[in-house]
Amino acid sequence: MSSRTAVLLALLVLIAGVAIWIRTASERHEGDADTSAIAARAKKSEPFASSPADEVRHARVDDEARILTPFGPRLGRMADDFHRDLGIDVHIVTQNDADSTIESQSDRVFRERKIGTTAPTGGLLVILNPAIQKARIEVGYSLEGGLTDLQMGRIARDQLAPYASYAIAGMAVMDVLHYLRDQVYLSAALGDIQLGEEFRKGRTYDK
């Protein structure tokens, strides 16, 4: 290889290296800008916007705050499964009421939706409010032996409230419902929650 060819080759390698460095720096800058925007939104606790097409239509799910997308339909099916497999009437509700406490909101919603009044085992409400960054799990009297106020309060505070204003709120609710389902089975096995014969003989309970 001649010295001229070697110089040209080295120059090409240098130019390619500079081009890669410029592109990487540009991508890093764009990424930092996106991260900063997300951080700013999180700092202001602004809920992620959704379109009217994202509205969840299910008897047991009321996503007024529009934070359950795209998990709303799945949450509806999970709520139906609770009723079919365990006799528990589960409702998932989101609200934007900033003028009252999450406790008063959950009491009102539980009463207005008549949660658990016709369910064989009882009723359960999961409510999130991004306007006040709060969440609560309200359970009917028949479930309190296995799903205690202390336990439900901790789960709502640690696993629901921190995500009330973000696009993963629906996923957080899904995870909590999975946990509550397992907890009901465990409590039933320990005798803390009474399940009807039709639910104790089911294939899901046997597992």
Side-chain angles (χ1 to χ4, degrees):
M1 179 186 298
S2 66
S3 58
R4 181 178 181 181
T5 302
V7 170
L8 289 175
L9 182 59
L11 185 60
L12 288 174
V13 171
L14 179 61
I15 292 173
V18 171
I20 292 173
W21 180 84
I22 292 174
R23 185 177 63 182
T24 301
S26 176
E27 291 175 351
R28 185 183 300 113
H29 176 73
E30 292 175 358
D32 290 343
D34 292 340
T35 301
S36 298
I38 293 172
R41 166 176 273 173
K43 186 175 182 180
K44 292 189 293 183
S45 298
E46 295 178 355
F48 280 69
S50 60
S51 67
D54 294 329
E55 182 180 357
V56 181
R57 292 179 174 85
H58 191 282
R60 292 189 170 97
V61 181
D62 182 6
D63 187 21
E64 175 187 309
R66 303 286 177 85
I67 58 173
L68 299 179
T69 303
F71 303 100
R74 172 59 178 157
L75 291 171
R77 291 192 295 272
M78 292 179 73
D80 289 343
D81 289 346
F82 262 86
H83 192 269
R84 184 192 66 232
D85 298 334
L86 294 166
I88 299 176
D89 185 22
V90 173
H91 289 239
I92 302 102
V93 173
T94 70
Q95 297 199 322
N96 270 323
D97 179 8
D99 298 323
S100 59
T101 66
I102 194 69
E103 290 80 13
S104 63
Q105 291 170 31
S106 64
D107 288 342
R108 174 177 52 79
V109 171
F110 205 95
R111 184 175 60 256
E112 289 178 350
R113 296 178 74 88
K114 300 179 180 179
I115 298 174
T117 54
T118 60
T121 308
L124 186 152
L125 168 67
V126 176
I127 182 169
L128 300 91
N129 189 326
I132 56 176
Q133 284 290 111
K134 297 289 185 180
R136 183 174 172 85
I137 302 173
E138 189 81 25
V139 301
Y141 177 76
S142 59
L143 299 176
E144 290 179 352
L147 307 178
T148 66
D149 289 342
L150 180 62
Q151 182 186 29
M152 296 303 99
R154 176 180 55 79
I155 294 172
R157 182 186 66 248
D158 298 341
Q159 297 180 238
L160 289 176
Y163 309 105
S165 292
Y166 303 101
I168 59 172
M171 184 178 294
V173 176
M174 284 176 56
D175 289 342
V176 166
L177 289 182
H178 280 300
Y179 172 81
L180 293 177
R181 186 182 179 92
D182 291 341
Q183 188 64 28
V184 169
Y185 281 125
L186 176 61
S187 299
L190 295 173
D192 295 327
I193 290 178
Q194 300 301 316
L195 290 182
E197 187 70 17
E198 67 272 32
F199 306 114
R200 288 187 283 112
K201 285 185 175 181
R203 292 178 58 190
T204 306
Y205 182 77
D206 292 338
K207 292 179 182 178

